[in-house]
Amino acid sequence: MTVTIVGSQLGDEGKGGIVDVLGDSADVVVRYQGGDNAGHTVVHDGEEYKLSLVPSGAIRGKVNVLGNGCVVNPRTLFSEIDALRERGVDPDVRVARRAHVIFPYHRLLDGIEEDRKSEDDNEVGTTGRGIGPTYEDKAARRGLRIADLTDPDTLRERLAYVLPQKRALVEDVFGLDIGSLDDPDALSVDALHEEYAEYGRRLAEEGMLVDSGDFLADRMAEGEDLMFEGAQGTLIDIDHGNYPFVTSSNPTAGGAATGSGLGPGVVGDGEIVGVVKGYLTRVGSGPMPTELGGVPGDTPGYDGDPSNPETESEELAHQIREEGGEYGTVTGRPRRVGWLDMPMLRHAARASGFTGLAVNHVDTLAGLDELNVGHAYEVDGEERLTMPATTEEWGQCEAQYRTFEGWPDVDWADVATEGYDALPENARTYLEYVADELDAPVYAVGVGPAREETVVVERP
Ligand code: GDP
Ligand code: IMO
Ligand code: MG
């Protein structure tokens, strides 16, 4: 049995918390794409854990696998594992030999290219973790994989091939002086060889290396259950997202097969749970037809102070941002806030084939008189129920709203104990609308950040 957890919006839907709650009965938690650009929050025994690379199953003592579809920064991996150990959690993390390695030059180039694009206001607003440049090298067949770290000769040979190209990019294409960079060692074969061969040694010594498909198939043959933890969200999927404001991998459910080494039949045979935030947030650039207010620098025409909103719409965005703690887990950036966008969710449900939903932050929305939902878009006088393929067209879509009556703030811990029927009636109406539109049942409702603040309707 497998359960795949997929973000249905622009990331930060609360996937980490849902993996933690629904992953209770899983034996192995697998990340199948992305790297330390993710920021997943798990609240356990009143303690908050922010994980960027280690799968959320770590907090529950599961076996955690970073599959072949991931890009792994060993510096982050070991610092996260060491920090967890200091807090008394000893995570069991396995890393696919086929996963690609993020090197310091990838981060360097991520930053340089964003700077260059920002001169024309075209930056993606990446997390700066080197994700794009690493997947770029993977596709260009010049990347280094985790297995290469354990073979010092191969490691040196591949670094010696790739680094002159990176140096030329920095100097000749971007016109920068390597000597004046903050970290000139990012482009040194010797320095990188020494540091990364040591990571390879540690990965081998700690028994962390696996061939992920074989490893997972063996665990399944022994009767174990797997949970796939998607990082990011559907709208920043490289194929199904709003290109070019996307990440460089496939968080949609198909990625769980290619990124783990198991067949699509294995993933498709299980459940695919779309995680939906009760409203919408975005970090980084790109359109957002249901956006409220804004964040300075991100929203054209809004240069205000996010903590000092000036219009009613800014006030609402501010209120939701503060209530929901909407500040980036990785970068601390204030998140842009908007109403739920149904064309986006229909697109996500189709791209991944959701068999169920987890809707979070129902508590965050409490206390509003009424809420809007972008039910459809209007473009050129026509109604659209799903997303257009281009970002330019999406930018022209105007949200057509449906209004729902708000619900009161109640004792959410009590609601979580009593179950679905204890939710305020208007909240249930809202949830049932979403479930109907997406043709998928609600399995879980988040009414607070903690594990015990989740109403579990049905365990997939
Ligand atoms: P992820 O990247 O999808 O795992 O989500 P993040 O961890 O980046 O962002 C979700 C944030 O919302 C975290 O701070 C969570 O603790 C919090 N959160 C998740 N679900 C709920 C919920 O139902 N209610 C409230 N109030 N907070 C939630
Ligand atoms: P989780 O797993 C929200 C966004 C970045 C940027 C774009 C590309 O916490 O949901 P990248 O660094 O991946 O090349 O950046 O994708 N982005 C995220 N936004 N949540 C995330 O992860 C994100 N990971 C990347 O802001 O717009
Ligand atoms: Mg996040």
Side-chain angles (χ1 to χ4, degrees), residues 128-291:
R129 299 299 189 261
I131 306 297
T134 307
Y135 278 113
E136 212 181 295
D137 279 353
K138 170 180 173 173
R141 296 157 298 193
R142 68 172 96 83
L144 281 89
R145 305 197 297 176
I146 286 290
D148 299 332
L149 302 183
T150 62
D151 175 351
D153 291 341
T154 305
L155 176 61
R156 182 171 290 280
E157 200 180 299
R158 295 209 201 283
L159 285 172
Y161 173 76
V162 84
L163 278 163
Q165 294 188 22
K166 303 301 175 195
R167 298 174 75 92
L169 257 179
V170 172
E171 288 183 315
D172 304 337
V173 176
F174 292 107
L176 299 172
D177 170 20
I178 291 176
S180 62
L181 296 173
D182 287 345
D183 178 19
D185 278 354
L187 293 158
S188 150
V189 174
D190 287 338
L192 294 179
H193 187 269
E194 190 183 333
E195 183 181 349
Y196 284 73
E198 175 57 23
Y199 293 134
R201 203 193 51 71
R202 188 170 166 189
L203 284 163
E205 187 183 277
E206 298 198 18
M208 294 169 72
L209 298 166
V210 292
D211 292 359
S212 76
D214 286 341
F215 177 80
L216 296 172
D218 288 347
R219 305 297 291 228
M220 288 189 80
E222 285 165 23
E224 295 195 355
D225 293 323
L226 311 187
M227 176 162 273
F228 294 104
E229 174 181 11
Q232 288 81 43
T234 302
L235 265 292
I236 46 181
D237 181 291
I238 184 127
D239 286 285
H240 305 292
N242 77 299
Y243 197 90
F245 302 107
V246 292
T247 191
S248 302
S249 63
N250 290 119
T252 43
T258 40
S260 71
L262 295 173
V266 175
V267 178
D269 223 16
E271 297 261 7
I272 298 170
V273 179
V275 185
V276 177
K277 183 179 281 193
Y279 45 95
L280 185 63
T281 58
R282 172 163 214 164
V283 276
S285 325
M288 195 169 164
T290 59
E291 183 162 22

Side-chain angles (χ1 to χ4, degrees), residues 11-17 38-43 48 50 229 275 277 323-326 329 335 359-364 445-450 453:
D12 307 322
E13 299 89 350
K15 298 175 289 293
H40 295 179
T41 314
V42 177
V43 181
E48 187 178 68
K50 300 228 176 246
E229 174 181 11
V275 185
K277 183 179 281 193
E323 272 299 314
E326 296 298 356
T329 308
R335 294 175 180 153
V359 186
N360 282 323
H361 283 273
V362 165
D363 57 311
T364 304
V445 184
V447 293
E453 290 167 323

Side-chain angles (χ1 to χ4, degrees), residues 65-119:
V65 176
L66 295 170
N68 55 275
C70 293
V71 286
V72 178
N73 182 331
R75 284 185 182 169
T76 313
L77 177 67
F78 287 119
S79 76
E80 220 164 71
I81 290 175
D82 292 343
L84 284 170
R85 284 187 182 148
E86 268 170 37
R87 293 178 70 179
V89 178
D90 192 11
D92 180 346
V93 183
R94 315 297 175 100
V95 186
R97 290 188 177 87
R98 290 181 168 91
H100 278 249
V101 180
I102 302 180
F103 281 93
Y105 54 81
H106 292 121
R107 284 178 76 128
L108 174 71
L109 286 163
D110 191 352
I112 292 175
E113 187 153 10
E114 281 283 278
D115 272 354
R116 185 53 52 88
K117 285 183 176 170
S118 74
E119 290 169 11

